[in-house]
Amino acid sequence: MQQKNLDLVLQKVLQKIIPSAQEAGAVHSVIGDVLAETEKIIKPHGFSVVLAGSFTRNTWLSHKKEFDIFIQFPVETEREELEKKGLEIGKRIVKSFKGSHVVAYAEHPYVKSKINGYDVDIVPCYKVESAEKIKSAVDRTPFHNKYLSKNLHPHQSADVRLLKTFTKMNSLYGSDLKTQGFSGYLCELLIIKYDSFKNLISQASNWLPGQVFIDLEGKYNGNKKEFWGQSLAAIDPVDPKRNVAAALSPAVFVKFVKLCQNFLENPSEKFFFKREEKTKAAELLKNIKSRGTLFLGVKFSRQEVVDDIIYPQLRKTAKRLLDILKEYEFAVLGSAVHTDKKSCLIILELETWNLPNIRRITGPPVFAIKNSQEFVNKYKKLGRVWVEEDRWVAEVKRQFKEADKKLVDTLSESAKILKAKGIASYMADSIAKGFKVLDAKQLLKTADEELLETIRDYLEENV
Ligand code: CTP
Ligand code: MG
């Protein structure tokens, strides 16, 4: 019964997520035009062009209006030459479609464009002999294309789409540093390994962190030592040194396993679609109040830097602030980070935020004569000193009684000092220019839908 139900659910989901013939026709017509124009432009140079990723194998998700093309240069091309020519060619392509563009930066600068309503990245790369000889990460992609065209059976593209949707709708899709989840290529390899979405999730519902080793081409003979400490090891068949799942965090791994268990227990379409009801600020505030904790938000401006740099820096900074607060005896329950185009926010949840005027310090045993003298000399000036059992104890005035004051004190510094305190570099530069510490009410009052979701995700995090 359950089995039938599961099949029915997957069938219904597929009907909704497989792009219509009309949509596929429209996408492929734009891609075809761009590739043809590119061929024309690069022909005199003898370069080649490759379409990257999911469009080459029907694993793209409906409504996706972006694709990447890679211009392959001979390996002996100087880096500078590749970058200059790469941009030149990119701009020419965009111009012939009367599109718009900006230059963006990854391993090499590349053209990020808008052509006929699509976001098209035009990326230069090296045409290397094998994926083990790559000069930059993007050089691997043509080998992935080839491997998948051979090994991913056309009927499996539907299973890949199920897996991508399943992970995407539960915020587990993407190897970016915000998500730290499943990349498209990892989804494709998983489907090759387990044959179908259904079989994958039934296997994955028993996965344990660090125990799963996927080595499709048998390059390691089952020896997974090199990947110790990684949630999941999925060897890149075209470059065996690389773990395709390297970005997958333990938290996402655990959430995925749980999600598979939940889905098998109670198959439903809701696992594949975003929930409809909007998050309400008033409900979040009620929830926060019922916890009896204190929420503090540190808000500052965001510089024009990509998410993959911002998120790790935000997390590092949050961790540093938590450690500083703990040092001052403000117990911390957890934290969350958030960013939009203009601002960054670190949310801290505290168990303790008000402390008494005085603080207790435990000293050395009375039998340690020299240490005892030093202790008494130091603390006698500051307050009471006495002995409990065989140890000295002192009482001194507390410097910071309120957590928010300690935060303000810590952050009101120059960028240089903030960096020395362990605040990540872009964050330090922004905080030095100004920041605000907000309480839950203030946070929620001005929160947009995305921020409300971040707070809700934090409050509802539960495997
Ligand atoms: N790639 C990879 N590892 C990653 C991200 C990307 O190897 N962590 C390579 C793969 O060759 C992939 C290509 O870059 O096919 C394009 O990446 P991307 O567009 O991010 O993923 P797709 O597989 O195309 O999936 P999507 O449908 O989400 O675009
Ligand atoms: Mg893609």
Side-chain angles (χ1 to χ4, degrees):
M1 175 63 200
Q2 196 74 312
Q3 193 66 4
K4 235 169 135 190
N5 191 11
L6 194 147
D7 290 333
L8 203 68
V9 166
L10 295 184
Q11 250 174 40
K12 278 196 187 152
V13 173
L14 275 174
Q15 277 169 11
K16 291 184 188 161
I17 66 169
I18 292 191
S20 67
Q22 194 193 4
E23 188 187 355
V27 176
H28 283 291
S29 136
V30 176
I31 292 177
D33 291 349
V34 171
L35 288 178
E37 183 62 25
T38 306
E39 299 270 13
K40 220 166 76 194
I41 292 173
I42 60 178
K43 205 168 176 196
H45 301 281
F47 305 153
S48 30
V49 57
V50 206
L51 170 67
S54 51
F55 283 109
T56 65
R57 41 200 178 251
N58 269 326
T59 55
W60 51 282
L61 297 181
S62 198
H63 306 304
K64 189 169 179 76
K65 295 201 95 181
E66 53 180 70
F67 61 91
D68 310 334
I69 60 170
F70 292 0
I71 313 285
Q72 293 183 297
F73 287 71
V75 265
E76 54 285 352
T77 315
E78 292 292 333
R79 194 191 162 103
E80 246 170 63
E81 171 83 0
L82 171 137
E83 294 185 350
K84 193 173 137 241
K85 278 248 171 67
L87 290 179
E88 249 172 52
I89 291 169
K91 289 177 192 169
R92 274 185 63 192
I93 299 168
V94 180
K95 204 167 163 199
S96 47
F97 288 96
K98 300 195 168 61
S100 59
H101 83 275
V102 291
V103 173
Y105 297 83
E107 260 180 271
H108 302 296
Y110 65 96
V111 168
K112 224 176 158 46
S113 72
K114 193 99 183 169
I115 294 176
N116 296 346
Y118 288 79
D119 291 314
V120 186
D121 288 355
I122 305 164
V123 182
C125 73
Y126 285 104
K127 187 170 194 161
V128 292
E129 222 175 277
S130 80
E132 292 158 61
K133 298 200 172 139
I134 55 161
K135 291 179 136 193
S136 67
V138 291
D139 302 345
R140 269 194 211 100
T141 292
F143 297 96
H144 292 160
N145 284 358
K146 254 182 248 159
Y147 184 82
L148 292 170
S149 78
K150 264 202 218 133
N151 294 281
L152 183 76
H153 198 278
H155 77 251
Q156 292 176 310
S157 66
D159 291 277
V160 173
R161 281 177 164 141
L162 283 171
L163 178 57
K164 282 166 87 160
T165 310
F166 185 71
T167 49
K168 190 171 185 164
M169 289 309 146
N170 292 284
S171 310
L172 313 178
Y173 182 69
S175 56
D176 58 280
L177 295 175
K178 174 186 181 187
T179 316
Q180 300 180 293
F182 293 77
S183 68
Y185 184 51
L186 177 59
C187 291
E188 290 159 338
L189 294 182
L190 287 172
I191 293 301
I192 294 177
K193 166 80 185 175
Y194 294 98
D195 194 44
S196 66
F197 174 76
K198 201 168 113 180
N199 185 44
L200 165 69
I201 52 163
S202 114
Q203 300 292 321
S205 63
N206 296 315
W207 278 359
L208 294 169
Q211 303 293 313
V212 188
F213 190 57
I214 294 165
D215 182 14
L216 288 166
E217 296 299 307
K219 304 273 187 187
Y220 284 79
N221 291 320
N223 177 10
K224 58 181 184 202
K225 261 201 223 113
E226 280 180 53
F227 301 96
W228 196 89
Q230 307 205 5
S231 316
L232 170 74
I235 306 307
D236 191 339
V238 307
D239 185 2
K241 282 204 209 60
R242 171 173 186 248
N243 176 11
V244 179
L248 191 73
S249 72
V252 171
F253 179 92
V254 168
K255 279 186 210 172
F256 178 69
V257 173
K258 188 67 193 169
L259 202 62
C260 291
Q261 292 167 356
N262 292 347
F263 179 65
L264 289 174
E265 246 164 60
N266 198 359
S268 130
E269 283 182 59
K270 77 175 203 301
F271 287 86
F272 295 85
F273 301 100
K274 277 254 176 287
R275 59 172 151 188
E276 304 242 307
E277 79 284 11
K278 287 227 158 83
T279 312
K280 292 196 189 77
E283 272 165 32
L284 294 180
L285 193 61
K286 209 170 127 199
N287 188 341
I288 290 172
K289 278 203 172 134
S290 75
R291 294 167 72 79
T293 54
L294 180 76
F295 273 62
L296 287 177
V298 182
K299 192 173 176 183
F300 47 93
S301 66
R302 171 178 173 156
Q303 297 176 60
E304 273 191 46
V305 188
V306 294
D307 275 2
D308 267 0
I309 292 179
I310 295 287
Y311 275 96
Q313 291 214 0
L314 264 175
R315 293 192 188 112
K316 183 183 167 200
T317 303
K319 167 128 199 346
R320 190 65 199 112
L321 294 180
L322 294 182
D323 286 343
I324 291 172
L325 288 173
K326 279 186 211 158
E327 243 178 76
Y328 284 79
E329 296 180 73
F330 298 106
V332 177
L333 201 109
S335 68
V337 299
H338 184 81
T339 177
D340 53 30
K341 278 203 183 92
K342 287 197 180 135
S343 62
C344 287
L345 181 66
I346 295 174
I347 300 171
L348 308 170
E349 186 183 19
L350 302 180
E351 289 175 39
T352 322
W353 55 94
N354 267 316
L355 291 166
N357 295 336
I358 47 167
R359 173 166 80 89
R360 174 191 157 105
I361 297 170
T362 308
V366 288
F367 305 112
I369 305 299
K370 191 157 174 277
N371 289 350
S372 294
Q373 266 167 4
E374 280 168 13
F375 185 83
V376 173
N377 287 342
K378 180 168 173 193
Y379 289 106
K380 191 69 213 131
K381 299 189 281 262
L382 303 175
R384 294 197 303 136
V385 174
W386 70 99
V387 174
E388 271 180 21
E389 294 185 5
D390 65 343
R391 274 186 182 274
W392 288 101
V393 184
E395 189 178 273
V396 298
K397 225 176 132 211
R398 185 182 295 276
Q399 197 187 353
F400 291 99
K401 289 182 284 177
E402 287 105 12
D404 56 341
K405 296 219 169 95
K406 176 61 210 159
L407 262 184
V408 171
D409 173 78
T410 299
L411 295 174
S412 304
E413 300 282 5
S414 69
K416 198 175 155 197
I417 294 179
L418 290 171
K419 286 175 201 172
K421 284 184 182 177
I423 306 294
S425 135
Y426 281 109
M427 309 292 113
D429 291 335
S430 297
I431 292 169
K433 290 193 191 117
F435 67 92
K436 270 191 211 146
V437 176
L438 309 167
D439 64 19
K441 238 188 193 159
Q442 293 166 319
L443 256 174
L444 291 167
K445 212 166 81 189
T446 53
D448 58 11
E449 188 57 32
E450 273 89 44
L451 175 55
L452 293 180
E453 259 177 50
T454 300
I455 298 174
R456 180 177 72 184
D457 287 346
Y458 171 78
L459 289 167
E460 290 181 3
E461 174 108 59
N462 182 18
V463 169

